[in-house]
């Protein structure tokens, strides 16, 4: 499909997979907070898993886009998708910090 000795689409694909696995790991950490912080921590679990699922569902399309861009010598950055993931991670991190610092512990 492309002649890239550095296999850039594969490296990008692996980076997106690592990002989705990191979000799944964050969801597992948030899951441990549910007994202590209640439903709010449950929403963090759901949000993390939804973002990871979004990455997984769009991964094949991104790979083909990058591979065909290399083959046609025309590459465009996926600024919107990258910004959406970055924004999601920042929001989840902020909500996680808020949960730890400001939500009372349930006994």
């Amino acid at each position: 499909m492309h002649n890239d000795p550095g296999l850039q689409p594969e490296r990008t694909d692996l980076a997106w997979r690592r990002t989705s696995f990191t979000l799944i790991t964050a969801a597992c950490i948030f899951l441990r907070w549910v007994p202590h912080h209640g439903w709010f921590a449950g929403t963090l679990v759901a949000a993390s898993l939804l973002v990871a699922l979004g990455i997984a569902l769009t991964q094949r399309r991104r790979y083909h886009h990058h591979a065909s861009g290399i083959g046609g010598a025309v590459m465009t950055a996926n600024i919107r998708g990258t910004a959406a993931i970055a924004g999601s991670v920042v929001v989840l991190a902020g909500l996680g910090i808020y949960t730890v610092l400001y939500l009372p512990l349930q006994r």
Side-chain angles (χ1 to χ4, degrees):
M1 177 166 222
H2 60 85
N3 185 16
D4 181 18
L7 302 174
Q8 180 60 43
E10 284 80 4
R11 288 194 311 269
T12 303
D13 183 52
L14 288 172
W16 281 109
R17 286 181 193 214
R18 284 191 303 270
T19 302
S20 64
F21 286 136
T22 302
L23 285 162
I24 292 169
T25 302
C28 292
I29 291 169
F30 293 147
L31 188 60
R32 289 182 51 116
W33 294 359
V34 171
H36 305 289
H37 296 289
W39 66 269
F40 189 79
T43 61
L44 296 177
V45 171
S48 297
L49 291 176
L50 284 174
V51 174
L53 180 65
I55 290 171
L57 292 176
T58 59
Q59 190 169 0
R60 181 174 293 279
R61 181 178 51 85
R62 279 192 308 274
Y63 177 84
H64 286 297
H65 172 74
H66 286 254
S68 65
I70 288 173
V74 177
M75 277 299 293
T76 57
N78 184 2
I79 296 172
R80 188 175 50 198
T82 304
I85 297 299
S88 300
V89 169
V90 168
V91 167
L92 283 168
L95 290 173
I97 291 169
Y98 172 80
T99 302
V100 170
L101 294 179
Y102 297 110
L103 286 184
L105 291 174
Q106 296 177 357
R107 307 263 177 210

